[in-house]
Amino acid sequence: MTTVSNGVNVQALLEARDALKGAPEAAQFVWKATSKWQNGVHSTITVKEFYGLGEERAHRKESVFDADHPEVFAAEDNGITPIEYLLVGLASCLTAGVASVAQNRGIQLRSVEAKLEGTHDIRGILGADSDVRNGFNDIKVTFNIDADASREDIEALVAQSQKRSAVFDALTNPTNVTVEVA
Amino acid sequence: MTTVSNGVNVQALLEARDALKGAPEAAQFVWKATSKWQNGVHSTITVKEFYGLGEERAHRKESVFDADHPEVFAAEDNGITPIEYLLVGLASCLTAGVASVAQNRGIQLRSVEAKLEGTHDIRGILGADSDVRNGFNDIKVTFNIDADASREDIEALVAQSQKRSAVFDALTNPTNVTVEVA
């Protein structure tokens, strides 16, 4: 029995894993977002509802995000750029994984910080060079973790988090995206 | 000369495209984020600084985001889930593209709304079935656009936005992600 307290209910997650092994249809989630153009390249995006465990559900509260381009792109900088939201997702997914795995392995965490950098050659999106891709060239994540564990154990935590990360998978492997006009 | 007003400074973007054709080093951007674990799977992510056009820059203001898991995952739902941030980025990137292309083509937009759905079999992240991937199964984006244009022209706007979207590329094609412990 672990006595560490990282605030993750690992017992519930292990029970969910067992339960969903026999109920694959309950494991089908649908994450949702709606967006509304404001002006220029500024838009607001709302997230509240999702579907899972066989029914429509909702977050405790609605979250609204602003996205825009910085002034150096001749825009108003009313929010971070769309591509930066991918870094927000990656940082939080890997961090949640570190906390969950640490809890499961009985490792007490004191602090987990990460620094992310995504390099991006903007000639792609501007159409200045058709050999340059539109997205990131690459992304580097550097963790600083203070925990009751050896460096080796900390590196193993991070490796396991990566192995089970939804966002790490979504960025390192292709996903089919369909875009339609209603 | 276009007389429409979607709020996008297309002239500046076309000039940037021409300028960067001859100055590829200035086109190298680095988007940055830092994250801090709070408790459980709750973390906060901060975005402010970035690098581009040859120097360190910053957004007008710092943005801080909360990420967590919903109560159905035995968590506190202090923010949206990490994978939902990918939908936020995708919605805003495609919307910014629609506005930019419309401006360039002289199409006046009245409203641009999108609905996104990402299906996700959570048996992957729970480790319940090793044949199930961790990320989205697929993502569907549905645009509702009111504009001074035919349906055919609106569909062409959306297609061109997709073709030049940083986030669409990042989700549909693999990116190299390196994760390290400092």
Side-chain angles (χ1 to χ4, degrees):
Chain A
M1 286 283 95
T2 169
T3 54
V4 306
S5 168
N6 295 319
V8 181
N9 189 338
V10 164
Q11 193 55 38
L13 295 176
L14 295 175
E15 284 167 16
R17 174 164 76 185
D18 286 341
L20 294 177
K21 271 181 189 162
E25 67 291 345
Q28 308 309 313
F29 274 62
V30 185
W31 303 108
K32 304 176 186 187
T34 57
S35 64
K36 208 172 159 55
W37 172 62
Q38 298 298 326
N39 187 49
V41 294
H42 176 208
S43 61
T44 50
I45 308 90
T46 302
V47 177
K48 183 168 189 200
E49 278 139 27
F50 61 95
Y51 176 90
L53 302 184
E55 56 186 78
E56 294 292 341
R57 298 175 180 276
H59 287 288
R60 280 201 293 129
K61 60 175 167 44
E62 180 176 279
S63 297
V64 182
F65 304 96
D66 284 284
D68 201 350
H69 284 171
E71 291 169 339
V72 72
F73 288 177
E76 291 183 354
D77 200 13
N78 290 301
I80 68 169
T81 63
I83 202 171
E84 287 171 302
Y85 278 108
L86 304 188
L87 299 182
V88 173
L90 181 61
S92 51
C93 198
L94 291 172
T95 300
V98 165
S100 302
V101 177
Q103 184 68 35
N104 196 36
R105 294 185 179 178
I107 295 174
Q108 180 64 53
L109 297 173
R110 277 183 296 265
S111 75
V112 181
E113 295 185 3
K115 196 181 80 176
L116 286 83
E117 295 197 338
T119 61
H120 189 207
D121 185 336
I122 65 162
R123 288 177 300 166
I125 50 171
L126 285 171
D129 187 336
S130 58
D131 289 338
V132 175
R133 69 178 291 185
N134 294 321
F136 289 116
N137 303 331
D138 52 46
I139 299 172
K140 190 174 171 185
V141 182
T142 310
F143 271 102
N144 249 298
I145 298 177
D146 182 15
D148 277 334
S150 66
R151 181 178 173 90
E152 199 183 0
D153 285 347
I154 289 174
E155 283 175 350
L157 277 185
V158 171
Q160 181 63 22
S161 167
Q162 220 174 309
K163 197 177 157 192
R164 282 280 156 257
S165 167
V167 175
F168 181 83
D169 174 29
L171 293 177
T172 55
N173 295 299
T175 299
N176 184 40
V177 179
T178 312
V179 184
E180 285 175 4
V181 176
Chain B
M1 285 282 95
T2 170
T3 55
V4 306
S5 168
N6 294 320
V8 180
N9 189 340
V10 164
Q11 193 55 38
L13 295 176
L14 295 175
E15 284 168 14
R17 173 164 75 186
D18 286 342
L20 293 177
K21 272 182 187 162
E25 68 292 342
Q28 307 309 312
F29 275 62
V30 184
W31 302 109
K32 304 177 186 186
T34 56
S35 64
K36 208 171 158 59
W37 172 62
Q38 298 298 325
N39 186 50
V41 293
H42 176 209
S43 60
T44 52
I45 309 90
T46 302
V47 177
K48 184 169 187 200
E49 278 140 27
F50 62 96
Y51 176 91
L53 303 185
E55 54 186 78
E56 294 294 340
R57 298 175 181 276
H59 287 289
R60 282 200 291 130
K61 60 177 166 43
E62 180 175 280
S63 297
V64 182
F65 305 95
D66 283 284
D68 201 350
H69 285 170
E71 291 169 340
V72 72
F73 289 176
E76 293 183 354
D77 200 13
N78 290 300
I80 68 169
T81 63
I83 203 171
E84 287 171 302
Y85 278 108
L86 304 188
L87 300 182
V88 173
L90 182 61
S92 52
C93 199
L94 291 172
T95 301
V98 166
S100 302
V101 178
Q103 185 67 34
N104 196 35
R105 295 184 179 178
I107 296 173
Q108 180 64 53
L109 297 173
R110 277 184 295 266
S111 75
V112 182
E113 294 184 6
K115 197 181 79 176
L116 286 85
E117 295 197 339
T119 62
H120 189 206
D121 185 336
I122 66 162
R123 288 178 299 165
I125 49 172
L126 285 171
D129 186 336
S130 58
D131 289 337
V132 176
R133 68 177 292 185
N134 295 321
F136 290 117
N137 303 333
D138 52 47
I139 300 173
K140 189 174 171 185
V141 183
T142 310
F143 271 102
N144 249 297
I145 298 177
D146 182 14
D148 277 335
S150 67
R151 183 178 172 90
E152 199 184 359
D153 285 348
I154 289 174
E155 284 176 348
L157 278 185
V158 171
Q160 181 63 22
S161 167
Q162 220 174 307
K163 197 178 156 192
R164 281 281 156 258
S165 167
V167 175
F168 181 83
D169 174 30
L171 293 178
T172 56
N173 295 298
T175 300
N176 185 40
V177 179
T178 313
V179 184
E180 285 176 4
V181 177

